[in-house]
Amino acid sequence: MTISKYLKYYILIILFFSCFSLARAGFEVSEVMYDASGTDDGHEWVEVENTGSLSDDLSKWYLFTDNSKHALVPQGQAVVPAYGYAVIAQNPAKFKSDYPNFSGILYDSSWTDFNNTNETIGLKDPVLTLADSMTVNSSMGATGDGNSLQKIDGVFIGSIPTPGLANVKSTPIVVAEPLVAESVPIKTLKKSKFTKSS
């Protein structure tokens, strides 16, 4: 066998394993509702995106909040398709009430309310290898104003929630200040010179 034939086989083997390594599944945190407007007890949720080219069962993964491990329980479909999304809800019933039009993949998990000033949220694979994490801080926005933190162009920003859908930069919800009526003095009307005197 000539050197050129060995080289061809070597290149074919490299290409085969390169393609195999590219075909994978992987999850990353893509959106977080950490401070829902009003009481956020049971209204928090985390959206994850399957960034890989293979579908995967998210129920084999774990959500970590400040190093506490939380199991993920599917509420229906468990497998997240390639480049698809799933929402992990603190309370699925409250989540469905908050987002009645949601029809995506939903998981149940339980955690103590996020610490709005400094909370690390992570995803670990079935063998507990950290796949992705992010730290929530109120300085990032989405503080009780109806917005969520969304990963757009690699950065988390406050924007209108899009659970189960691709994040799109939008004008955040702005909570208007209540209008306060100013007291305006009533001017005394002068007597008209045409008024009949008594």
Side-chain angles (χ1 to χ4, degrees):
M1 204 181 264
T2 63
I3 295 174
S4 62
K5 284 187 178 178
Y6 279 118
L7 188 58
K8 284 179 186 176
Y9 284 120
Y10 181 71
I11 291 169
L12 284 172
I13 290 168
I14 290 173
L15 286 173
F16 173 78
F17 284 107
S18 296
C19 292
F20 181 75
S21 65
L22 288 172
R24 62 180 181 80
F27 292 104
E28 66 177 38
V29 177
S30 54
E31 185 173 359
V32 178
M33 175 60 81
Y34 74 100
D35 189 8
S37 55
T39 175
D40 56 354
D41 182 31
H43 295 275
E44 297 175 341
W45 49 268
V46 176
E47 178 195 78
V48 298
E49 179 183 0
N50 181 352
T51 58
S53 55
L54 294 177
S55 57
D56 198 2
D57 183 350
L58 187 61
S59 69
K60 297 174 183 175
W61 288 59
Y62 299 93
L63 179 72
F64 274 72
T65 57
D66 279 342
N67 294 317
S68 296
K69 181 173 80 170
H70 308 285
L72 305 177
V73 182
Q75 305 297 291
Q77 182 179 338
V79 175
V80 182
Y83 312 112
Y85 298 87
V87 171
I88 304 166
Q90 186 183 24
N91 183 313
K94 288 182 179 180
F95 175 83
K96 288 177 182 177
S97 174
D98 293 340
Y99 303 93
N101 296 325
F102 177 81
S103 60
I105 299 169
L106 184 62
Y107 275 80
D108 182 15
S109 192
S110 58
W111 60 84
T112 308
D113 288 349
F114 291 139
N115 177 348
N116 297 352
T117 56
N118 194 30
E119 179 83 43
T120 300
I121 300 167
L123 283 171
K124 292 191 178 183
D125 67 15
V127 293
L128 298 180
T129 301
L130 183 66
D132 188 40
S133 69
M134 62 88 66
T135 301
V136 168
N137 191 298
S138 57
S139 65
M140 299 165 76
T143 53
D145 55 9
N147 296 300
S148 63
L149 285 180
Q150 298 181 37
K151 192 174 189 179
I152 298 173
D153 298 327
V155 179
F156 280 92
I157 62 170
S159 197
I160 296 171
T162 59
L165 301 171
N167 297 335
V168 178
K169 191 171 184 178
S170 58
T171 304
I173 299 166
V174 177
V175 179
E177 293 293 323
L179 294 175
V180 179
E182 291 183 24
S183 56
V184 179
I186 300 170
K187 292 181 180 177
T188 309
L189 293 174
K190 290 182 178 177
K191 255 187 181 180
S192 169
K193 58 183 176 180
F194 300 109
T195 306
K196 220 178 191 182
S197 55
S198 49

